[in-house]
């Protein structure tokens, strides 16, 4: 056991300290010691019968010395932040597996909560995750990583706390590079327009024409089926119109015959009143069921559509497919018309009409 030295101790205290060290060393060995006086007033220890009173005397005279060990180096952190291809990469040690793992972050879209979820997916043994500023303020899970990486922060993984010092962001460098590349991008765009714009318009026009031809081929058989169904529906609707006229004419003739040949007007007047009132009730019921007024053109169109859908279902005519193809055909025609406009072709309207 090495005895610590202190320059503040005088010679008497140093002798007492050495004597105590000798006593502590031989306590377990049960070796009896005795005092020997040497020249110069120094005291030496020699074997003698063990004296508990002497040991207590030395212990009372032993001064109390306390030593504190500390280090001026900062605590090492297992969490590092580096930029790779403009994106921050956080490298940390997973507590459960004791393995290093890297997490690439999109600082403008990734939040602290999403970053913590990614860490817990890699190591499910992590129970506590938190990010705090250097003054102990907790960051919420909705905070963007761009805000977190601006300054130093502390990352808590279970029971360990790591101090993280991210490098300065690369936004300024990216902004400077973008400003330098903007004129070059504009020049490249202008050159591409000059050399390839006409060829691009020609390819686009051919593409639209080819698409129109394909749609026309798909619509041709459907148009034939639709034409037949429309003819049947139109004939059926016209026939119903004439049937309605015949019924009204029959009703009028019957009322006239009953009024002048069978009964008198005094008897038939209430009958005609209730027939008129019943017609009004029928028209109001039609409005309640269809949310439309009883107007003859609308009634005719409604009856035509009813018959058309019924016949289409019988002949297995796909109305949804037909409507979709017609919609695509109309959009392609409109795109082709806009592509051939005088502004795109840089031609006057008269010359464009001649080309058409």
């Amino acid at each position: 056991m090495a005895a610590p030295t202190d320059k503040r101790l005088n010679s008497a205290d140093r002798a007492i300290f050495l004597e105590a060290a000798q006593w502590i060393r031989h306590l377990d060995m049960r070796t009896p010691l005795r005092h020997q006086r040497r020249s110069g007033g120094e005291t030496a220890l020699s074997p003698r019968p063990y004296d508990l009173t002497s040991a207590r005397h030395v212990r009372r005279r032993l001064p109390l010395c306390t030593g504190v060990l500390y280090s001026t180096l900062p605590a090492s952190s297992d969490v590092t932040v580096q930029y790779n291809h403009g994106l921050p990469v956080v490298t940390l040690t997973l507590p459960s597996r004791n393995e290093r793992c890297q997490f690439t972050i999109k600082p403008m879209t990734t939040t602290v909560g999403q970053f913590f979820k990614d860490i817990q997916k890699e190591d499910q043994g992590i129970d506590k995750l938190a990010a705090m500023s250097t003054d102990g303020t907790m960051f919420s899970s909705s905070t963007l990583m761009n805000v977190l990486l601006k300054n130093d922060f502390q990352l808590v993984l279970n029971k360990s706390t790591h101090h993280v010092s991210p490098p300065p962001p690369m936004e300024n460098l990216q902004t400077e590079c973008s400003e330098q590349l903007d004129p070059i991008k504009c020049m490249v765009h202008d050159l591409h327009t000059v050399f390839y714009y006409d060829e691009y318009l020609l390819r686009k026009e051919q593409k639209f024409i080819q698409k129109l031809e394909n749609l026309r081929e798909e619509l041709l058989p459907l148009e034939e089926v639709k034409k037949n169904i429309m003819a049947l529906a139109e004939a059926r609707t016209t026939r119903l119109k004439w049937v309605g006229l015949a019924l009204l004419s029959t009703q009028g003739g019957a009322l006239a015959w009953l009024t002048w040949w069978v009964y008198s007007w005094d008897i038939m007047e209430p009958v005609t009143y209730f027939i008129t009132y019943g017609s009004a009730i029928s028209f109001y019921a039609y409005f309640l069921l269809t949310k439309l007024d009883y107007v003859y053109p609308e009634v005719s169109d409604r009856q035509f559509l009813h018959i058309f859908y019924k016949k289409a279902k019988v002949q297995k005519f796909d109305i949804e497919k037909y409507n979709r193809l017609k919609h695509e055909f109309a959009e392609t025609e409109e795109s082709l018309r806009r592509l051939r406009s005088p502004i795109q072709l840089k031609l006057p309207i008269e010359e464009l009409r001649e080309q058409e």
Side-chain angles (χ1 to χ4, degrees), residues 314-347:
V314 172
Q315 298 187 15
K316 297 181 180 180
F317 176 72
D318 194 349
I319 299 178
E320 294 183 357
K321 180 181 179 182
Y322 176 80
N323 292 334
R324 177 175 56 82
L325 293 176
K326 290 291 288 186
H327 182 68
E328 291 182 3
F329 190 85
E331 285 186 347
T332 307
E333 278 188 333
E334 178 65 19
S335 300
L336 185 60
R337 185 190 65 80
R338 293 177 59 186
L339 184 66
R340 290 174 175 176
S341 64
I343 298 176
Q344 295 290 340
L345 296 178
K346 302 177 183 179
L347 295 175

Side-chain angles (χ1 to χ4, degrees), residues 21 42 54 100 115 159 204 208 273 348:
E42 296 182 356
S54 178
R100 302 285 288 175
F115 174 59
K159 296 182 179 180
K204 202 72 174 176
F208 286 148
Y273 172 78

Side-chain angles (χ1 to χ4, degrees), residues 120 123-129 157-158:
Q120 290 178 340
D123 190 351
Q124 299 181 358
I126 298 177
D127 298 330
K128 182 180 180 182
L129 268 174
L157 295 174
N158 290 341

Side-chain angles (χ1 to χ4, degrees), residues 192-210 335-347 352 355:
H192 184 272
T193 302
V194 171
F195 289 106
Y196 298 101
Y197 184 68
D198 296 336
E199 183 180 356
Y200 167 76
L201 291 179
L202 182 61
R203 290 198 307 268
K204 202 72 174 176
E205 182 181 8
Q206 293 177 353
K207 180 181 177 181
F208 286 148
I209 294 174
Q210 183 66 31
S335 300
L336 185 60
R337 185 190 65 80
R338 293 177 59 186
L339 184 66
R340 290 174 175 176
S341 64
I343 298 176
Q344 295 290 340
L345 296 178
K346 302 177 183 179
L347 295 175
L352 179 64
Q355 288 187 358

